[in-house]
Amino acid sequence: MYMPEQEVLEHAIGWLQAGHQVHLCTVVKTWGSSPRLPGAMLAVRDDGQLLGSVSGGCIEDELIARARSHRLPPVNGLLEYGVSRDEAQHYGIPCGGQLQIFVEHVSSVHVLQPVLDSLQQRRLLRRSVRIGSNEVIWGDAMPGAIACLENGWFHHYFGPQWRLLIIGANQLGAMLASMAQALEFNVLLCDPREEIRAQWQVEGVQWCAGMPDDVVLDIAADGYTAIVAVTHDPRLDDMALLEALRSEAFYVGALGSRLNQEKRRERLRMFELGDEEISRLHGPVGLQIGSRTPAEIAVAILAEIIQIRSQQRAAALKSQSIASALSAGSVCTS
């Protein structure tokens, strides 16, 4: 499955190659109950065709009208919506919601291609555009960095697609795979049991051949990867966990009762995993919502994954805000 940013960029590049004028629109900042987070983006071409989202529908119609009437910025600039109560009601923005959008007239494929390349290679990238000019530069990015304005530049950060590796092609694994794809995760699955794999019916999943521990190593689990073991067979689940807990995966979980999880932690210690590594294991897996059926358990697992991801994003945003404040302070005192 493509990530939204990759689809937007691929279409924008295709439109440029076909001779269209293209604007890239990105949410910079939100106030109140705005429907999209900073970094959400869309591409709109000169005839009003559009891909992506910055508001869930209410602002998109306005951007289409601007594109068709050639009223989008000729180079780049900022647009704000929902500043007044009347405007919020006019555009359908939730009560109190406000949006600030950076709109860039994309002049060449070359100013987008490096971003698409970085996404396909699972690399972090910062794309910076000088406000009021066509100047674009690229640089390294920290995980979790959020789109922002700083000192006359708009910084947009691109990272790998979030992905979920599921160990176990059972009914719960199928539910997880279906729901995770709806949440725009790239889903990978490992189950060396041929008789189980033969019954798999969920499309869009990348099968990973091999034993679970080898697969975790082969995919090079990074900070955008969650790993969940659901076979309920320690011979398979524990193999995956041995490498997953040593990896950079932001979430590692395993199915099983509290008693079974304690036994599992003892087994993991026998393989020389330290307490800090073992403490990363979410088990019993998922938020405790009283789930019983495979579908309910899948909801609980994905809810916990989203919760952990959101907490990490909030921490990264706080760090970014502190770093920006310190940078501004150093400029003022120099």
Side-chain angles (χ1 to χ4, degrees), residues 86-218:
D86 290 343
E87 191 178 49
Q89 292 176 346
H90 173 73
Y91 291 116
I93 300 174
C95 182
Q98 298 178 30
L99 289 172
Q100 185 181 59
I101 298 173
F102 181 75
V103 182
E104 176 191 357
H105 181 209
V106 182
S107 58
S108 167
V109 169
H110 301 297
V111 300
L112 296 181
Q113 190 63 50
V115 183
L116 186 58
D117 293 342
S118 74
L119 291 174
Q120 294 171 339
Q121 297 165 15
R122 296 192 63 79
R123 292 187 293 108
L124 290 166
L125 182 72
R126 185 191 74 241
R127 181 176 185 269
S128 300
V129 184
R130 185 185 291 277
I131 297 174
S133 81
N134 289 321
E135 185 177 357
V136 178
I137 59 175
W138 294 272
D140 294 331
M142 294 294 291
I146 307 297
C148 66
L149 296 171
E150 185 179 26
N151 299 325
W153 290 83
F154 169 62
H155 303 297
H156 194 184
Y157 300 89
F158 296 87
Q161 181 179 8
W162 298 97
R163 59 181 177 174
L164 170 63
L165 170 61
I166 302 169
I167 309 298
N170 51 22
Q171 188 178 10
L172 174 55
M175 287 291 179
L176 271 174
S178 296
M179 294 181 186
Q181 288 186 91
L183 293 168
E184 298 177 348
F185 280 83
N186 177 26
V187 179
L188 301 84
L189 192 128
C190 172
D191 197 320
R193 300 169 296 181
E194 291 297 331
E195 68 280 7
I196 299 295
R197 177 172 178 172
Q199 301 174 12
W200 185 262
Q201 297 182 350
V202 180
E203 297 182 355
V205 174
Q206 178 183 336
W207 275 89
C208 301
M211 298 303 290
D213 51 339
D214 293 329
V215 168
V216 174
L217 292 173
D218 289 343

Side-chain angles (χ1 to χ4, degrees), residues 22-38:
V22 176
H23 281 80
L24 199 63
C25 306
T26 309
V27 176
V28 179
K29 192 172 183 180
T30 65
W31 298 265
S33 52
S34 300
R36 289 291 184 269
L37 296 173

Side-chain angles (χ1 to χ4, degrees), residues 187-327:
V187 179
L188 301 84
L189 192 128
C190 172
D191 197 320
R193 300 169 296 181
E194 291 297 331
E195 68 280 7
I196 299 295
R197 177 172 178 172
Q199 301 174 12
W200 185 262
Q201 297 182 350
V202 180
E203 297 182 355
V205 174
Q206 178 183 336
W207 275 89
C208 301
M211 298 303 290
D213 51 339
D214 293 329
V215 168
V216 174
L217 292 173
D218 289 343
I219 69 168
D222 54 23
Y224 289 79
T225 305
I227 301 173
V228 180
V230 298
T231 71
H232 231 321
D233 183 342
R235 294 170 298 178
L236 297 177
D237 287 349
D238 288 4
M239 290 176 67
L241 297 174
L242 282 171
E243 299 301 337
L245 293 170
R246 293 189 180 109
S247 75
E248 297 180 7
F250 78 93
Y251 180 94
V252 179
L255 188 67
S257 66
R258 293 187 184 280
L259 178 59
N260 285 337
Q261 297 293 350
E262 288 304 317
K263 292 179 179 178
R264 169 176 283 123
R265 287 180 170 87
E266 289 302 319
R267 292 196 300 271
L268 293 174
R269 288 188 178 90
M270 294 173 60
F271 288 94
E272 298 183 353
L273 282 183
D275 289 339
E276 184 176 351
E277 293 168 321
I278 294 174
S279 69
R280 298 183 58 220
L281 175 63
H282 292 268
V285 70
L287 296 182
Q288 301 305 303
I289 59 174
S291 52
R292 292 291 183 269
T293 67
E296 291 174 347
I297 295 170
V299 168
I301 292 171
L302 290 169
E304 186 172 48
I305 290 174
I306 292 170
Q307 180 185 65
I308 298 300
R309 184 176 68 178
S310 297
Q311 291 171 349
Q312 293 187 357
R313 281 175 167 171
L317 180 58
K318 182 177 180 180
S319 298
Q320 181 177 336
S321 299
I322 293 173
S324 296
L326 291 174
S327 176

